[in-house]
Coordinates of all heavy atoms in Angstrom, one line a residue:
H1 N -33.2 -56.8 21.9 CA -32.0 -56.7 21.0 C -31.7 -55.3 20.7 O -30.5 -54.8 20.7 CB -32.3 -57.5 19.7 CG -32.3 -59.0 19.9 ND1 -33.5 -59.7 19.7 CD2 -31.4 -59.9 20.2 CE1 -33.2 -61.0 19.9 NE2 -32.0 -61.1 20.2
L2 N -32.7 -54.5 20.3 CA -32.5 -53.1 19.8 C -32.0 -52.2 20.9 O -31.3 -51.2 20.6 CB -33.7 -52.6 19.2 CG -34.2 -53.4 17.9 CD1 -35.5 -52.8 17.3 CD2 -33.1 -53.5 16.9
N3 N -32.4 -52.4 22.1 CA -31.9 -51.6 23.2 C -30.4 -51.6 23.4 O -29.9 -50.7 24.0 CB -32.6 -52.0 24.6 CG -34.0 -51.5 24.7 OD1 -34.4 -50.5 24.2 ND2 -34.9 -52.3 25.3
K4 N -29.8 -52.6 22.8 CA -28.3 -52.7 23.0 C -27.6 -51.9 21.8 O -26.3 -51.9 21.8 CB -27.9 -54.1 23.0 CG -28.5 -55.0 24.1 CD -28.2 -56.4 23.9 CE -28.9 -57.3 25.0 NZ -28.7 -58.7 24.8
V5 N -28.3 -51.3 20.9 CA -27.7 -50.8 19.7 C -28.0 -49.2 19.6 O -29.1 -48.8 20.0 CB -28.3 -51.4 18.5 CG1 -27.7 -50.9 17.2 CG2 -28.1 -52.9 18.5
D6 N -27.0 -48.5 19.2 CA -27.2 -47.1 18.9 C -27.7 -47.0 17.5 O -27.0 -46.9 16.5 CB -25.8 -46.3 19.0 CG -26.0 -44.8 18.8 OD1 -27.1 -44.4 18.5 OD2 -25.0 -44.1 18.8
L7 N -29.0 -47.0 17.4 CA -29.7 -47.0 16.1 C -29.4 -45.8 15.2 O -29.5 -45.9 14.0 CB -31.2 -47.2 16.3 CG -31.7 -48.5 16.9 CD1 -33.2 -48.4 17.0 CD2 -31.2 -49.7 16.2
E8 N -29.1 -44.7 15.8 CA -28.8 -43.5 15.0 C -27.6 -43.7 14.1 O -27.6 -43.0 13.0 CB -28.6 -42.3 16.0 CG -28.3 -41.0 15.3 CD -29.5 -40.6 14.4 OE1 -30.6 -40.9 14.7 OE2 -29.2 -39.9 13.4
V9 N -26.7 -44.5 14.5 CA -25.5 -44.8 13.6 C -25.8 -45.4 12.3 O -25.2 -45.2 11.3 CB -24.5 -45.6 14.4 CG1 -23.3 -46.0 13.5 CG2 -24.0 -44.9 15.7
F10 N -26.9 -46.2 12.3 CA -27.2 -47.0 11.1 C -28.4 -46.4 10.3 O -29.5 -46.7 10.6 CB -27.5 -48.5 11.6 CG -26.4 -49.1 12.4 CD1 -26.6 -49.2 13.8 CD2 -25.2 -49.4 11.9 CE1 -25.6 -49.7 14.6 CE2 -24.2 -49.9 12.6 CZ -24.4 -50.1 14.0
K11 N -28.0 -45.5 9.4 CA -28.9 -44.7 8.7 C -29.9 -45.5 7.8 O -31.0 -45.1 7.6 CB -28.2 -43.7 7.9 CG -27.2 -42.8 8.7 CD -28.0 -41.9 9.7 CE -27.1 -41.0 10.4 NZ -27.8 -40.2 11.4
S12 N -29.4 -46.6 7.3 CA -30.2 -47.4 6.3 C -31.3 -48.2 7.0 O -32.2 -48.7 6.3 CB -29.3 -48.2 5.4 OG -28.8 -49.3 6.1
L13 N -31.2 -48.4 8.3 CA -32.1 -49.3 9.0 C -33.5 -48.7 9.1 O -33.7 -47.7 9.8 CB -31.6 -49.6 10.4 CG -32.5 -50.5 11.3 CD1 -32.7 -51.9 10.6 CD2 -31.9 -50.7 12.6
R14 N -34.5 -49.2 8.3 CA -35.8 -48.6 8.3 C -36.9 -49.6 8.4 O -38.1 -49.2 8.6 CB -36.0 -47.8 7.0 CG -35.0 -46.8 6.7 CD -35.1 -45.6 7.5 NE -36.3 -44.8 7.1 CZ -36.4 -44.0 6.0 NH1 -35.4 -43.9 5.2 NH2 -37.5 -43.4 5.7
F15 N -36.6 -50.9 8.4 CA -37.7 -52.0 8.3 C -37.4 -53.0 9.4 O -36.3 -53.4 9.7 CB -37.7 -52.7 7.0 CG -38.2 -51.8 5.9 CD1 -37.3 -50.9 5.2 CD2 -39.5 -51.8 5.5 CE1 -37.8 -50.0 4.2 CE2 -40.0 -51.0 4.5 CZ -39.1 -50.1 3.9
F16 N -38.6 -53.3 10.1 CA -38.5 -54.2 11.2 C -39.6 -55.3 11.0 O -40.8 -54.9 10.9 CB -38.7 -53.5 12.5 CG -37.7 -52.4 12.8 CD1 -37.9 -51.1 12.1 CD2 -36.6 -52.6 13.6 CE1 -37.0 -50.1 12.3 CE2 -35.7 -51.6 13.8 CZ -35.9 -50.4 13.2
Q17 N -39.2 -56.5 10.9 CA -40.2 -57.6 10.6 C -40.4 -58.5 11.7 O -39.5 -59.0 12.4 CB -39.6 -58.4 9.4 CG -40.6 -59.4 8.8 CD -40.2 -60.0 7.5 OE1 -40.5 -61.1 7.2 NE2 -39.5 -59.2 6.7
C18 N -41.7 -58.9 12.0 CA -42.0 -59.8 13.0 C -43.4 -60.3 12.8 O -44.2 -59.7 12.0 CB -41.8 -59.3 14.4 SG -43.0 -58.1 14.9
E19 N -43.8 -61.3 13.5 CA -45.2 -61.8 13.5 C -46.1 -60.7 14.1 O -45.8 -60.1 15.1 CB -45.3 -63.1 14.3 CG -46.7 -63.7 14.3 CD -46.8 -65.0 15.0 OE1 -45.8 -65.6 15.4 OE2 -48.0 -65.5 15.2
F20 N -47.3 -60.6 13.5 CA -48.2 -59.6 14.0 C -49.6 -60.0 13.6 O -50.0 -60.0 12.4 CB -47.9 -58.2 13.4 CG -48.7 -57.1 13.9 CD1 -48.8 -56.8 15.2 CD2 -49.4 -56.3 13.0 CE1 -49.6 -55.8 15.7 CE2 -50.2 -55.2 13.5 CZ -50.3 -55.0 14.8
N21 N -50.4 -60.3 14.6 CA -51.8 -60.6 14.4 C -52.5 -60.4 15.7 O -51.8 -60.1 16.7 CB -51.9 -62.1 13.9 CG -51.2 -63.1 14.8 OD1 -51.5 -63.2 15.9 ND2 -50.2 -63.7 14.2
P22 N -53.8 -60.6 15.8 CA -54.5 -60.3 17.1 C -54.1 -61.2 18.2 O -54.3 -60.9 19.4 CB -56.0 -60.6 16.7 CG -56.1 -60.2 15.3 CD -54.8 -60.7 14.7
I23 N -53.5 -62.4 17.9 CA -53.0 -63.3 19.0 C -51.6 -63.0 19.4 O -51.3 -62.9 20.6 CB -53.1 -64.8 18.5 CG1 -54.5 -65.2 18.3 CG2 -52.4 -65.7 19.5 CD1 -54.7 -66.6 17.7
E24 N -50.8 -62.7 18.4 CA -49.3 -62.4 18.6 C -49.0 -61.0 18.2 O -48.8 -60.8 17.0 CB -48.5 -63.5 17.9 CG -47.0 -63.2 17.9 CD -46.4 -63.3 19.3 OE1 -46.6 -64.4 20.0 OE2 -45.8 -62.3 19.8
N25 N -49.0 -60.1 19.1 CA -48.7 -58.7 18.8 C -47.8 -57.9 19.8 O -47.5 -56.8 19.5 CB -50.0 -57.9 18.5 CG -51.0 -58.0 19.6 OD1 -50.7 -57.6 20.7 ND2 -52.1 -58.7 19.4
E26 N -47.5 -58.6 20.9 CA -46.7 -57.9 21.9 C -45.4 -57.4 21.4 O -45.0 -56.2 21.6 CB -46.5 -58.8 23.1 CG -45.9 -58.1 24.3 CD -45.7 -59.0 25.5 OE1 -46.3 -60.1 25.5 OE2 -45.1 -58.6 26.5
K27 N -44.6 -58.2 20.7 CA -43.3 -57.8 20.2 C -43.4 -56.7 19.2 O -42.6 -55.8 19.2 CB -42.6 -59.0 19.7 CG -42.1 -60.1 20.7 CD -41.2 -59.4 21.7 CE -40.8 -60.4 22.8 NZ -40.0 -59.8 23.9
A28 N -44.4 -56.8 18.4 CA -44.6 -55.7 17.4 C -44.9 -54.4 18.0 O -44.4 -53.4 17.7 CB -45.7 -56.1 16.4
N29 N -45.7 -54.4 19.0 CA -46.1 -53.2 19.8 C -44.8 -52.6 20.5 O -44.7 -51.4 20.5 CB -47.2 -53.5 20.8 CG -48.5 -53.8 20.1 OD1 -48.7 -53.5 19.0 ND2 -49.3 -54.6 20.8
E30 N -44.0 -53.5 21.0 CA -42.8 -53.0 21.6 C -41.8 -52.4 20.6 O -41.0 -51.6 21.0 CB -42.1 -54.2 22.3 CG -42.8 -54.7 23.6 CD -42.2 -55.9 24.2 OE1 -41.2 -56.4 23.6 OE2 -42.7 -56.5 25.2
L31 N -41.9 -52.7 19.4 CA -41.0 -52.2 18.3 C -41.4 -50.8 17.8 O -40.7 -50.1 17.2 CB -40.9 -53.1 17.1 CG -40.1 -54.5 17.4 CD1 -40.3 -55.3 16.1 CD2 -38.7 -54.2 17.7
S32 N -42.7 -50.4 18.2 CA -43.3 -49.2 17.6 C -42.4 -48.0 17.8 O -42.3 -47.1 17.0 CB -44.7 -49.0 18.1 OG -44.7 -48.8 19.5
S33 N -41.8 -47.8 19.0 CA -41.0 -46.6 19.3 C -39.8 -46.6 18.5 O -39.3 -45.5 18.0 CB -40.6 -46.6 20.8 OG -39.9 -47.7 21.2
F34 N -39.2 -47.8 18.2 CA -38.0 -47.8 17.4 C -38.3 -47.5 15.9 O -37.6 -46.8 15.2 CB -37.3 -49.2 17.4 CG -36.9 -49.6 18.8 CD1 -37.7 -50.5 19.6 CD2 -35.7 -49.2 19.3 CE1 -37.2 -50.8 20.9 CE2 -35.2 -49.5 20.6 CZ -36.0 -50.4 21.4
I35 N -39.5 -48.0 15.5 CA -39.9 -47.8 14.1 C -40.2 -46.3 13.9 O -39.8 -45.7 12.9 CB -41.2 -48.6 13.8 CG1 -40.9 -50.1 13.8 CG2 -41.9 -48.2 12.5 CD1 -42.1 -51.0 13.8
D36 N -40.8 -45.7 14.9 CA -41.1 -44.2 14.8 C -39.8 -43.4 14.8 O -39.6 -42.5 14.0 CB -42.0 -43.8 16.0 CG -42.5 -42.4 15.8 OD1 -43.2 -42.2 14.9 OD2 -42.2 -41.5 16.7
E37 N -38.8 -43.8 15.6 CA -37.5 -43.2 15.7 C -36.8 -43.2 14.4 O -36.2 -42.2 14.0 CB -36.7 -43.8 16.8 CG -35.3 -43.2 16.9 CD -34.4 -44.0 17.9 OE1 -35.0 -44.8 18.7 OE2 -33.2 -43.9 17.8
K38 N -36.9 -44.3 13.7 CA -36.2 -44.5 12.4 C -37.0 -44.1 11.2 O -36.5 -44.3 10.1 CB -35.8 -46.0 12.3 CG -34.8 -46.5 13.3 CD -33.5 -45.8 13.2 CE -32.7 -46.1 12.0 NZ -31.4 -45.4 11.9
D39 N -38.2 -43.6 11.4 CA -39.1 -43.2 10.3 C -39.2 -44.5 9.4 O -39.1 -44.4 8.2 CB -38.5 -42.1 9.5 CG -39.5 -41.5 8.5 OD1 -40.7 -41.8 8.5 OD2 -39.0 -40.8 7.5
G40 N -39.5 -45.6 10.0 CA -39.6 -46.9 9.3 C -40.9 -47.5 9.4 O -42.0 -46.9 9.6
F41 N -40.9 -48.9 9.1 CA -42.1 -49.6 9.0 C -42.0 -51.0 9.6 O -40.9 -51.6 9.6 CB -42.5 -49.8 7.5 CG -42.7 -48.4 6.8 CD1 -41.7 -47.9 6.1 CD2 -43.9 -47.7 7.0 CE1 -41.8 -46.7 5.4 CE2 -44.0 -46.5 6.4 CZ -43.0 -46.0 5.6
L42 N -43.1 -51.5 10.1 CA -43.2 -52.9 10.6 C -43.7 -53.7 9.4 O -44.6 -53.3 8.7 CB -44.3 -53.0 11.7 CG -44.6 -54.4 12.2 CD1 -43.4 -54.9 13.0 CD2 -45.8 -54.5 13.0

């Protein structure tokens, strides 16, 4: 989803929520670069 968006335009976007545990963590790991780019948090 996020690859389709110019995140730099949306200054207030800082938080990204998803399931995250030792069983389900792939999507969260994929979001890490976006979180780092936005100086945000999972």
Side-chain angles (χ1 to χ4, degrees):
H1 289 113
L2 297 181
N3 281 327
K4 302 173 183 176
V5 179
D6 182 1
L7 295 181
E8 181 58 33
V9 174
F10 305 106
K11 303 297 184 183
S12 72
L13 179 60
R14 304 285 290 281
F15 291 82
F16 302 81
Q17 184 168 152
C18 71
E19 181 178 351
F20 184 56
N21 52 64
I23 294 175
E24 175 63 58
N25 54 65
E26 184 176 356
K27 289 301 177 185
N29 294 335
E30 290 174 359
L31 290 173
S32 62
S33 61
F34 299 100
I35 292 169
D36 191 60
E37 176 186 342
K38 296 297 293 179
D39 189 18
F41 302 98
L42 175 73

